[in-house]
Amino acid sequence: MKRLIQLILLLVIVYNTRPLWDEFVEPYVDLSFMDVIGEQVETVRESPIVIEGVNTVMGKVESWVGAGAKSVVQVDKPALTTPDSQTFSIYNVQIGDARADVEQEIGMPKRHSQNEYGTDWYAYHENYQHFMMVSYDENDQVNGLYTSHDLISSTVGIALNTPKETVRAKLGEPMDKLRKELTYYILNETGEHDYFQLDDNYVTVFYDIHENNTVTAIQIIDKDLETAKGSMYADESDSLKEGFEYQLFDLTNAGRVTHGLSVLTWDDHVRETARDHSLDMAKNNYFDHTNLKGKSPFDRMEDDGIHFMAAGENLAYGQYSSVFAHEGLMNSAGHRKNILSDDFGYLGVGVAFNEESQPYYTENFFDN
């Protein structure tokens, strides 16, 4: 009996001191809403016009194909080698490599902009060919990588265009949840991308559902960098807003180049139109191409003095980075059509955040 009483007392003590040795974890948070993508919109100006020999009139969406993509001068693919210390490398770069070595190998970046991890994505490319983004830590060592181009090498034979079934056969079952501080987040369950923990890194493999679920991009984030990000969403800031905008623009052009299309030109004027719509949606808690005043994207562009012969708009909400927003848009048929359209020459991207720091993305395409 004495031993029983001692055991009960021990259990009471252990229970009452539990916060000292094991944190309580909040319920799971489902991130499935992150797949919210706005329906594609495309139209032309008021007077009938002829483009590529096809007559189109305002209010009618024509599902025609132009005379062919504008030519792109191809740059020879670099020689890729098998990673020597990790499962994956991009353009022969691995997590932990020195920045000086990276830039000696692939040249200087074309742009850098803040990402959701509080570091910068440095964009490297040759007129958007051989496109990749690299993040560096305070010691100028690589702690993040991304590419949607044929720059992926691995020790297990995974590369661009590898089928999803092969990826899972080689890497095992993907992660289904991720812990951030005291909360477990249920990871995206659409099957459009998989998360793996490899080599002290978090690897996200994206698939193109329009290309038989084959690898279309990969992101690799150092475990310490991911762990330091306390929640799924970064705190709102002007630099992060601008970073998401420029990153989504670069990702769009990188995607166009892989399909033999010309590079779009950034337009500051239409960026403001896109920003205003994102901010309106974020403040007023709605998600639609038509705003609360009943104005369409084309009304808003005309109100802002933007002259266009053809225009289109893509919307996305809740994706916690420009990378996830772009990959989601590319897997939506209507948005993919806008991104890969030969009818547009200009693009502006506008981002705004709601009170929960969830971003709204608006892409406005046009040509004049």
Side-chain angles (χ1 to χ4, degrees):
M1 186 67 177
K2 182 178 179 181
R3 288 186 178 182
L4 178 60
I5 294 173
Q6 289 175 335
L7 179 60
I8 292 172
L9 287 174
L10 178 61
L11 290 172
V12 170
I13 292 171
V14 169
Y15 179 81
N16 288 331
T17 59
R18 183 183 176 195
L20 301 177
W21 52 266
D22 188 16
E23 299 173 301
F24 288 101
V25 179
E26 296 179 11
Y28 290 93
V29 175
D30 190 352
L31 297 179
S32 59
F33 74 93
M34 282 177 40
D35 281 331
V36 179
I37 299 289
E39 183 181 357
Q40 167 237 348
V41 175
E42 184 180 337
T43 190
V44 296
R45 283 187 65 85
E46 184 171 357
S47 58
I49 60 172
V50 177
I51 303 178
E52 303 292 353
V54 178
N55 189 281
T56 59
V57 184
M58 183 179 183
K60 183 178 181 182
V61 179
E62 300 285 347
S63 57
W64 52 271
V65 179
K70 297 181 179 71
S71 61
V72 175
V73 178
Q74 295 297 324
V75 179
D76 291 340
K77 177 183 174 180
L80 302 179
T81 59
T82 303
D84 56 12
S85 61
Q86 297 176 25
T87 305
F88 288 99
S89 65
I90 296 176
Y91 209 151
N92 302 326
V93 177
Q94 301 175 76
I95 298 295
D97 285 354
R99 178 172 178 173
D101 293 337
V102 172
E103 295 183 347
Q104 182 178 0
E105 174 77 15
I106 63 177
M108 301 302 293
K110 298 298 191 293
R111 189 200 310 277
H112 66 91
S113 55
Q114 186 174 321
N115 61 32
E116 67 276 16
Y117 292 99
T119 62
D120 280 5
W121 277 129
Y122 288 79
Y124 298 86
H125 56 88
E126 300 171 65
N127 197 29
Y128 290 101
Q129 296 182 69
H130 306 160
F131 179 85
M132 66 182 295
M133 298 194 300
V134 184
S135 167
Y136 300 100
D137 64 17
E138 64 276 7
N139 297 315
D140 272 343
Q141 292 182 308
V142 175
N143 62 1
L145 291 164
Y146 167 88
T147 191
S148 57
H149 284 201
D150 191 11
L151 301 173
I152 303 168
S153 297
S154 75
T155 58
V156 291
I158 296 172
L160 200 72
N161 301 320
T162 297
K164 181 198 294 186
E165 294 78 9
T166 303
V167 173
R168 292 183 173 181
K170 298 286 187 179
L171 300 182
E173 284 299 308
M175 299 168 56
D176 60 0
K177 61 183 180 293
L178 180 65
R179 180 174 174 176
K180 291 288 186 181
E181 295 183 341
L182 302 184
T183 302
Y184 276 111
Y185 291 87
I186 299 173
L187 299 176
N188 194 305
E189 295 181 324
T190 64
E192 295 182 11
H193 50 267
D194 284 336
Y195 299 85
F196 301 95
Q197 190 169 349
L198 304 166
D199 312 315
D200 284 330
N201 302 319
Y202 287 99
V203 178
T204 308
V205 181
F206 298 91
Y207 305 107
D208 190 333
I209 66 172
H210 301 287
E211 298 290 343
N212 300 314
N213 281 311
T214 53
V215 174
T216 190
I218 187 171
Q219 177 176 276
I220 308 170
I221 300 296
D222 177 78
K223 183 180 178 181
D224 290 339
L225 182 62
E226 185 65 62
T227 301
K229 184 167 171 272
S231 65
M232 297 305 290
Y233 291 103
D235 292 336
E236 173 187 354
S237 70
D238 287 342
S239 55
L240 181 60
K241 174 176 68 176
E242 186 172 82
F244 280 173
E245 292 169 348
Y246 282 125
Q247 289 154 27
L248 197 48
F249 173 77
D250 287 343
L251 291 163
T252 298
N253 274 330
R256 287 174 62 86
V257 164
T258 60
H259 289 82
L261 293 164
S262 61
V263 171
L264 299 175
T265 299
W266 175 265
D267 188 271
D268 271 324
H269 195 175
V270 82
R271 188 256 292 269
E272 293 307 315
T273 304
R275 273 186 172 180
D276 288 345
H277 189 55
S278 288
L279 183 59
D280 190 39
M281 291 189 293
K283 281 187 173 181
N284 293 293
N285 192 31
Y286 75 97
F287 185 72
D288 202 309
H289 291 286
T290 302
N291 67 18
L292 300 181
K293 296 180 180 179
K295 292 195 172 186
S296 73
F298 319 108
D299 296 328
R300 297 193 298 272
M301 291 171 70
E302 289 182 337
D303 287 349
D304 288 344
I306 296 164
H307 303 287
F308 57 89
M309 298 294 286
E313 179 174 271
N314 286 346
L315 302 178
Y317 156 66
Q319 293 81 5
Y320 46 80
S321 78
S322 51
V323 167
F324 280 86
H326 173 72
E327 298 300 337
L329 289 166
M330 283 295 287
N331 273 337
S332 171
H335 302 86
R336 185 186 184 96
K337 180 181 177 183
N338 276 346
I339 292 169
L340 301 182
S341 174
D342 201 28
D343 302 335
F344 303 133
Y346 300 91
L347 170 62
V349 181
V351 171
F353 301 86
N354 64 15
E355 293 181 350
E356 287 75 42
S357 293
Q358 297 163 348
Y360 286 74
Y361 306 85
T362 301
E363 295 180 317
N364 282 149
F365 304 82
F366 74 98
D367 205 7
N368 51 27

